[in-house]
Every structure is written in C-alpha cells, then in structure tokens.
Amino acid sequence: MAKRFSIIVIPESSNRVKRLQVSSGIIKSAVCGGVIVSALFAFFTYSYFSYSVDHNELQRLRVVTSQQRQTLHGLVADLDEVQQQMYSLQETEARVMQLAKLENVPKEIPIAIGGIAEVSSSLEVDSVQRQINKLQVEIELRRQSQEGVRNLLNDQVSLHRATPKGWPTKGWVTSYFGMRESPFTGKRVMHEGLDIAANIGTPVFATADGVVARVKYSAGYGKMIIIDHGYGYRTIFGHNSKIVAKAGHRVKRGDLIAKVGNTGKSTGSHLHYELQLNGVPIDPRKTL
Ligand SMILES: [Zn+2]
C-alpha cells in the first residue's frame, strides 16, 4: 500500500483543524511538475535574453556591413581613378618615346594590362585585391619602362654631347676636306681635315665633350691636340701657337683648348681641324 501523508491546516479564526490526506504519488507529481515548470521558465527566460542580445548584435553588424560596403564602393572608385591615371601616364610615356624616337626599345616592355571595368559591378573584396595586385604589377612595369626611357635618353644626351658640332674657331675656310694639290709638293694628296684661316692667338674651342687624349708637337701639324669624345669620335687640331688644355683632362663643348698659330708644316696662320670616326677621317663641314 502507498504511503500517505497528512497536511494539517489550522485556520486562525476557528479552532477547527482541517486535515488533508495526500498520497506520496501526488507529492512526487507535484515536485516533478514544479521542476518542469521552473526549467521551462528558465529556458524561455534565457532564450528571450539571448534573442535580445543576438538581435542587437545583428543590428550592429548590419550597420558595420553597410559602412564596409560604402568603404568598398569608395575603394573601387579610387581604383578606377588610379587606373585612369595609369592609362594617361602610359599615353604620356608613349608620346615621350615617340618624341625621343625610341619606339623600337620599349616594345620589350608590355605597356597595358587589363582593365578595371569588371570590379565596378562586383563589389567583392578579393576582386578589389586582385585589381590592387594588377596595379602593383603595372606600376612596376611603368617604373621599369621609364627607367629604360631615362637610360636611353641619357645615352642620347651623352651621344649628342660627344658628337662634334659647330666651328672650332672664328675664321674662313681656305682648304676643304678631300683630294687637293699639296702646297708643298704640288702633288695631289688627300687633305684629311678643314683648314680655317684665323689670326695667331684666335681662340680654338672643343666642338664636343671629351677627354684630351694627346698634346704633342709633330713636324707636320706642329703644336697639336687630340680629343677623344667616345662613341668612336676624335677631333684633331693642328698648327696651334699654344695648347691650353692639358692631356688627360675632360673638356666640354665650347671650352678653350688652344690658340691658332702657324706651327709645323704651314703656309700661314690657320687651324687644321680634323674629325675622325672610328679612326677614319670624315668631312667636318657637315658638322659645322
Ligand atoms: Zn689642313
């Protein structure tokens, strides 16, 4: 037989005692019910608070995402702008190459790489990252290309400075480059330079940048000076009264190097100006 319990209730207003008899099964059911209700209450309370926290977090994340999207939009616009600038840089570079007549050289260097159009429609971070990588490669190519252009221009400037140009002294030509009758023997011989008549002491200038290769006295050319300009060019100045530049020194176009004279085998005061390319005398008249 199941255990039974008595609950005694004593009201304050009367002396009658009420007695309730309860079986242990009912008590167990009541306790179980209480536990279940408490657990459910605890669960719903927890769920409610955790939903409320999640909701707030969701709101916050939405705001963050929206801000990030705006930032990404801005970045894509910036990238587009950079790409446009890159194109204009490329155009300028092409024009510079054309002006410098360097079309043949930069062909080795690829100029254009892809576009940015596809990024505008797809706002994905990795797409932007890809564009950035592309731009970095492009910038590096531009840098290399421009370094090449600069080197080539430097070479051209050096060549220009080393190429003899202009009159070495103020005077008038008395004998041109080519075959002529020797004023001494009367025989036809090759005259390998230009004779420019001028008064003794008239300044003689270097016609290009270079290094004074030799200063010497020769029976034929008298006091002479030889300048090596590199690129195969040499200039020779003969019959001077005085040599001003020193052997081994660098000279620039227009520097005073000697003074006109009548030394060596000469019939009057003049400068013998000779121009050689790779050891072969060429007509200096074309360079005056
Ligand atoms: Zn001569």
Side-chain angles (χ1 to χ4, degrees), residues 253-265:
R253 178 181 288 145
D255 280 357
L256 176 71
I257 53 166
K259 292 197 168 164
V260 172
N262 192 25
T263 56
K265 239 173 155 185

Side-chain angles (χ1 to χ4, degrees), residues 200 204 214-226 235-245 257-266 270-273:
I200 290 180
V204 176
R214 286 192 84 176
V215 170
K216 66 171 184 176
Y217 187 90
S218 95
Y221 287 144
K223 286 183 182 174
M224 66 186 292
I225 174 168
I226 302 169
T235 47
I236 299 164
F237 306 80
H239 310 301
N240 300 284
S241 60
K242 194 182 175 190
I243 305 291
V244 178
I257 53 166
K259 292 197 168 164
V260 172
N262 192 25
T263 56
K265 239 173 155 185
S266 171
H270 79 283
L271 170 71
H272 171 87
Y273 176 54

Side-chain angles (χ1 to χ4, degrees), residues 110-129:
I111 291 174
I113 311 169
I116 197 162
E118 74 269 23
V119 175
S120 310
S121 54
S122 128
L123 293 175
E124 290 171 6
V125 174
D126 60 342
S127 172
V128 171
Q129 184 61 54

Side-chain angles (χ1 to χ4, degrees), residues 175-176 180 191-196 221 239 265 270-274:
S175 186
Y176 289 101
R180 69 167 184 184
H191 183 230
E192 295 182 333
L194 210 59
D195 287 345
I196 303 167
Y221 287 144
H239 310 301
K265 239 173 155 185
H270 79 283
L271 170 71
H272 171 87
Y273 176 54
E274 196 172 314

Side-chain angles (χ1 to χ4, degrees), residues 55-269:
H55 183 74
N56 288 341
E57 181 66 7
L58 191 66
Q59 284 299 104
R60 193 185 68 78
L61 286 175
R62 272 185 187 148
V63 171
V64 169
T65 307
S66 157
Q67 283 170 349
Q68 283 177 344
R69 187 158 295 167
Q70 277 178 1
T71 309
L72 203 56
H73 262 297
L75 279 176
V76 170
D78 287 352
L79 265 179
D80 218 8
E81 174 76 25
V82 171
Q83 181 76 69
Q84 290 309 319
Q85 286 175 359
M86 198 62 113
Y87 285 146
S88 98
L89 198 69
Q90 192 179 315
E91 275 172 24
T92 309
E93 196 179 297
R95 274 201 293 274
V96 168
M97 285 172 182
Q98 221 173 8
L99 282 173
K101 302 199 190 309
L102 299 174
E103 305 96 309
N104 52 330
V105 182
K107 270 182 192 160
E108 299 160 17
I109 303 144
I111 291 174
I113 311 169
I116 197 162
E118 74 269 23
V119 175
S120 310
S121 54
S122 128
L123 293 175
E124 290 171 6
V125 174
D126 60 342
S127 172
V128 171
Q129 184 61 54
R130 269 203 306 277
Q131 277 316 114
I132 289 172
N133 294 347
K134 230 182 211 180
L135 274 171
Q136 280 172 336
V137 171
E138 213 167 318
I139 285 167
E140 176 57 19
L141 285 169
R142 295 268 69 72
R143 196 188 62 71
Q144 286 177 16
S145 169
Q146 288 184 1
E147 203 175 281
V149 171
R150 197 176 56 229
N151 289 342
L152 281 161
L153 285 176
N154 278 342
D155 285 354
Q156 285 201 344
V157 167
S158 303
L159 174 63
H160 176 74
R161 285 182 181 154
T163 307
K165 194 171 169 16
W167 288 77
T169 193
K170 254 188 191 170
W172 58 99
V173 177
T174 51
S175 186
Y176 289 101
F177 174 91
M179 297 302 286
R180 69 167 184 184
E181 254 178 41
S182 164
F184 301 101
T185 62
K187 286 181 185 168
R188 283 186 70 77
V189 287
M190 180 67 187
H191 183 230
E192 295 182 333
L194 210 59
D195 287 345
I196 303 167
N199 290 328
I200 290 180
T202 307
V204 176
F205 305 105
T207 49
D209 293 6
V211 176
V212 179
R214 286 192 84 176
V215 170
K216 66 171 184 176
Y217 187 90
S218 95
Y221 287 144
K223 286 183 182 174
M224 66 186 292
I225 174 168
I226 302 169
I227 299 176
D228 195 334
H229 304 282
Y231 300 95
Y233 285 115
R234 280 189 144 204
T235 47
I236 299 164
F237 306 80
H239 310 301
N240 300 284
S241 60
K242 194 182 175 190
I243 305 291
V244 178
K246 302 229 172 349
H249 283 202
R250 297 193 74 85
V251 289
K252 290 201 170 293
R253 178 181 288 145
D255 280 357
L256 176 71
I257 53 166
K259 292 197 168 164
V260 172
N262 192 25
T263 56
K265 239 173 155 185
S266 171
T267 53
S269 168

